[in-house]
Amino acid sequence: MGLLSSPFAKKTNSVTRMMLWVIGATVPGLLVMIYFFGFGVLINLLIACATALVTEAFVLKLRQRPIVPILWDGSALVTAWLLALALPPLLPWWMTVLGTSFAIIFAKHVYGGLGNNIFNPAMVGYVLLLISFPLEMTTWLPPQSLAENPVGLIEAVSIIFTGAASNEATIDMLKQGVDGYTMATPLDHIKTELAQGYRIPEAETAPIIKGLSGAGWQWVNLAFLAGGLALMFKKVIGWQIPIAVLLGMGLVSLPLFFANSDYYLFPMFHGFAGATMLGAFFIATDPVTASTTPKGRWIFGLGIGAITVLIRTFGGYPDAIAFAVLLMNMAVPMIDYYTKPRTYGHADKKHKAGGGAK
Amino acid sequence: MEHSNPTPKSRASEIPIYEIPGGIHPEEHKTRSNQADIRSLPLADELVINLKGQAGNRSLPVVKAGDTVLKGQVIAECDGIFSAYQHAPTSGEVIAIENRTIAHPSGLDDLCVVLKPDGKDQWCELSPVTHLEDMDREAVLAQIFEKGVVGLGGASFPSHIKLKQHEGIHTLIINAAECEPYITCDDKLLQEHTKDVLLGAEIISKLYQDIDIIIGIEDNKPQAIDAIKQARQELGLSNIKLGVVPTKYPSGGEKQLIQLLTGKEVPHGKLPADLGLVMHNVGTCYAIQQALTEGKPLVERLVTLTGDNCKEPGNYWIPFGTPVEHLIQATNSETPKRLIMGGPMMGYELPSAEVGIVKATNCIIMSADGELGMDQTALPCIRCGACMDACPASLLPQQLYWHAQADEFDKAEEYDLFDCIECGACAYVCPSHIPLVQHYRYAKSTIRNNRVEKIKAEKARERYEARQERLERVKREKAERHRKAAEARKKAAEEAGKKDPKKAAVQAALARVKAKKEAQQSDTNEADQSKADDNNSEGNN
């Protein structure tokens, strides 16, 4: 429909602008990741973006939709961007291509395109890769400061595209830390140590554990937190969901920590480890797949936070933002249905006969 | 209803102000038209007075082409109580009573009185009220009725009807919020005719045994607020309180202003009167004061002329029926890109510049290219919920849109579609540029039409069933009659046979004729009746 009736006044905002703000706000986090994990991060990002744009254009053509205006809305780019930020830095190029194109085709367009998908496309792509290639997807480089052999641009390109390093250094060597151990993420490290019978205070003596969470990782999370806060203040995202995610993590991890700090991590560690801040501010806030009622936003966020800590603590995966987001995505239609706000002039839902029941 | 806690928002407010959910802060564009003093424009060559210029029934013209009329003379009477008198906006000659394009988004024609001004602008004899204090309620209402006063806030609801109910009313709210961008006529009226407006409010208050008056006004009108305070002091009016509300659209919506000033919500399906409240617009107060103390009927109103293409923006006294085209020329304005009657949020685009100003016209926006309503292509809804955060009725606009565009009207109603006040806040904030209100209007009108259709279908079905039943009955009766006639015949023949064979033969023949006649007659009756019935059902369809 064209504009036939009021209102004629229009706020100067647009989906494109929102998407570009989201991308812009990830830049501090991106730069910190490049600093700690090398150029592989940037290469992943470029591969994912190119794949997303090509796939989106291809599917739009198949679906006989206008290509340029929809490409321009920026949503495909955001999907690729967020997925790439979640990928390990030296992932083989075709895995990135596979994950991104799967996200665009199956998580987005199969459901009817932007606005109609139930699941967060970036997280669908991520989970596909995680369960298909668990080894590659959990192999992170050590932060550059701890790496025995820091990865340069040439090496990163070579490894990602050919699977072999350019010089005599093997990939396994690159993955080794100064102490000769293969480096994992801090969350991975804790999980492995606990499985081997160590306690958390012992596990935390490793060089990779540092400050709020782990070397490098605390800075990555702080940078995403800064970008996320900027989005919040620019009102590109609501404040409810990110706060609820962090609150949900705290509500589950704090009692556990007090119950037994030998086996359960301090809430601050959860908050600044892994993909927490990226998830809370950039992934959980995806408007399409999040709950859209005032109360629903809180339930949605709290659920993501709680599930993440539960899986990290009791499940088989070191990090769980993606699973938590997808699980809560699934619950959104029900959450939205039961959290309809009270309309002006209507009695409270509780008093309304059959208000929620169908 | 829940009572939210009062939050002192502005120091200038004399009563506690409550919160309303949602709302937006569009660019105000008010300084453009509120700088200059109120002015008048030269008369137009022709006034086109729309007889359907109020809510309710079309007024019935009492003049005919060729009549000369004086300013203020009645030119059309009420058609029943739910209608309004219309008076000649100036002196001159009635040159036609014919269908003209009226101020309505549809661009439909309707009956208009076309008046050619003689330029003298000569008033008829006015009958001001001399002893207002001595008048009883009915007399005051009669005067308001006869002077053609309708609500000037936008809906043009006949004021005498709104004022009629007086049981349990304890507070009069004067709506001076004027929250729509661009419009400044209430603001200017309050600044320049403060006392008249306050006295008008007092007249209304007296109708309810001196109830309290709250003037609800947005805090972006400091001059009007000061003017009210001063006039109130000079007139010694102690029952008027100022409720200064934060500037936020749509604080001037009736339901929203009530919530802001009292913390109460008008229950679904009820009226403000059920809360003991009655609300009138600033312009209506002024019109009522003029009708009583000056005896002047409502023949003109203050209209904001504004927009980027309006070269002399400001507030003008415009006689009703003045064609918008004349306003464009008289202010040396450029041809507007979009011509809006009302504000940019709830007004409508005029189908032509020839339409005349009506009692509801508070503003004409002569917009420049790109100023209003950039025709952006609507993108898919991304369910960001910005609309929900902006909705003053706490609806879920994204769900309403989802169901409205899928023609799932029962679902849309489940999400309280009919509680939408069409303020446009949702569409204003939508990053996908979806004309949300348009979808809601479509859904609402389709649902209303469906309801009417359903009632019609129900009636048609009842009629059909009644007819079927009657035809059955007639058939049964006819069979019964035939049976009886045959019996009678048989009996007569038998009886005759007993007495005299010859006479019996004659008797039998007579009986046959009689039976035949009877049968014929009942056939004709039936035919007539079913024919009448067919006509009837056609007429109803």
Side-chain angles (χ1 to χ4, degrees), chain A residues 2 5 8 292 343-346, chain B residues 265 268 344 373 388 416 419 438 441:
Chain A
S5 66
F8 299 99
T292 57
T343 307
Y344 179 103
H346 282 255
Chain B
E265 293 176 16
H268 177 71
M388 176 189 74
D416 298 327
D419 286 280
Q438 226 157 276
R441 288 193 179 116

Side-chain angles (χ1 to χ4, degrees), chain A residues 44-292:
Chain A
N44 281 347
L45 195 70
L46 295 175
I47 297 172
C49 286
T51 309
L53 292 178
V54 170
T55 316
E56 175 100 339
F58 175 68
V59 180
L60 286 172
K61 198 170 162 59
L62 280 186
R63 294 181 61 211
Q64 297 175 345
R65 295 289 195 283
I67 294 174
V68 176
I70 298 187
L71 266 189
W72 183 238
D73 71 26
S75 60
L77 211 54
V78 168
T79 297
W81 201 277
L82 296 178
L83 173 59
L85 290 177
L87 296 176
L90 294 180
L91 196 70
W93 65 273
W94 58 270
M95 288 188 191
T96 309
V97 170
L98 182 72
T100 313
S101 51
F102 187 82
I104 298 288
I105 297 171
F106 288 94
K108 185 177 174 188
H109 281 288
V110 163
Y111 286 91
L114 179 63
N116 297 296
N117 48 308
I118 298 170
F119 297 105
N120 186 315
M123 291 302 101
V124 171
Y126 179 84
V127 166
L128 172 88
L129 294 178
L130 183 62
I131 55 181
S132 310
F133 315 104
L135 182 67
E136 289 83 350
M137 285 293 287
T138 49
T139 311
W140 278 78
L141 285 178
Q144 301 280 41
S145 55
L146 301 179
E148 181 129 289
N149 308 294
V151 184
L153 178 61
I154 317 274
E155 272 101 337
V157 173
S158 169
I159 292 167
I160 288 172
F161 287 98
T162 65
S166 58
N167 54 20
E168 60 277 13
T170 65
I171 302 170
D172 288 334
M173 281 170 71
L174 292 174
K175 286 174 186 163
Q176 273 172 10
V178 277
D179 52 0
Y181 286 108
T182 297
M183 297 298 284
T185 65
L187 281 170
D188 216 352
H189 170 76
I190 298 281
K191 196 156 201 74
T192 317
E193 296 287 289
L194 282 175
Q196 288 174 356
Y198 294 104
R199 293 177 174 202
I200 283 179
E202 296 167 301
E204 281 180 346
T205 55
I208 193 167
I209 307 298
K210 198 176 168 189
L212 295 166
S213 59
W217 285 97
Q218 55 172 337
W219 295 108
V220 171
N221 273 281
L222 279 170
F224 281 126
L225 172 65
L229 289 175
L231 279 189
M232 227 187 228
F233 286 112
K234 285 301 288 182
K235 297 204 168 146
V236 177
I237 59 171
W239 56 274
Q240 294 93 338
I241 291 176
I243 301 296
V245 171
L246 298 179
L247 196 66
M249 287 187 136
L251 285 178
V252 177
S253 58
L254 197 64
L256 287 175
F257 175 77
F258 278 126
N260 193 340
S261 60
D262 281 350
Y263 291 105
Y264 303 112
L265 284 165
F266 187 57
M268 193 65 85
F269 193 97
H270 277 294
F272 289 92
T276 301
M277 292 300 173
L278 180 69
F281 286 88
F282 295 90
I283 291 166
T285 53
D286 167 37
V288 178
T289 55
S291 169
T292 57

Side-chain angles (χ1 to χ4, degrees), chain B residues 135-147 159-166 207-208 292:
Chain B
M135 285 174 81
D136 66 1
R137 190 182 156 83
E138 290 309 313
V140 175
L141 282 182
Q143 184 81 356
I144 291 171
F145 177 49
E146 281 164 21
K147 298 304 172 195
S159 296
H160 59 275
I161 301 178
K162 200 168 179 180
L163 291 165
K164 219 168 167 118
Q165 190 192 342
H166 63 289
L207 288 174
Y208 302 102
L292 284 143

Side-chain angles (χ1 to χ4, degrees), chain B residues 171-227:
Chain B
T171 308
L172 164 66
I173 297 175
I174 303 300
N175 190 341
E178 204 165 52
C179 59
E180 271 250 16
Y182 286 89
I183 311 177
T184 57
C185 59
D186 288 350
D187 182 15
K188 289 307 279 186
L189 192 64
L190 268 175
Q191 287 179 37
E192 296 193 26
H193 297 273
T194 326
K195 285 184 184 170
D196 293 338
V197 172
L198 295 191
L199 289 172
E202 288 293 328
I203 293 171
I204 301 175
S205 159
K206 287 213 169 56
L207 288 174
Y208 302 102
Q209 278 92 40
D210 292 318
I211 53 171
D212 289 335
I213 301 172
I214 299 173
I215 300 181
I217 188 164
E218 280 192 341
D219 60 9
N220 60 356
K221 301 175 186 65
Q223 288 159 300
I225 292 170
D226 288 343

Side-chain angles (χ1 to χ4, degrees), chain A residues 241 284 286-301 328-329 331-337 339, chain B residues 383-385 388 398:
Chain A
I241 291 176
D286 167 37
V288 178
T289 55
S291 169
T292 57
T293 66
K295 271 185 215 159
R297 286 168 173 170
W298 283 101
I299 298 173
F300 179 75
M328 289 313 289
N329 284 164
V332 160
M334 191 181 72
I335 295 173
D336 280 2
Y337 189 82
T339 54
Chain B
R383 303 173 58 77
C384 64
M388 176 189 74
Q398 73 275 23

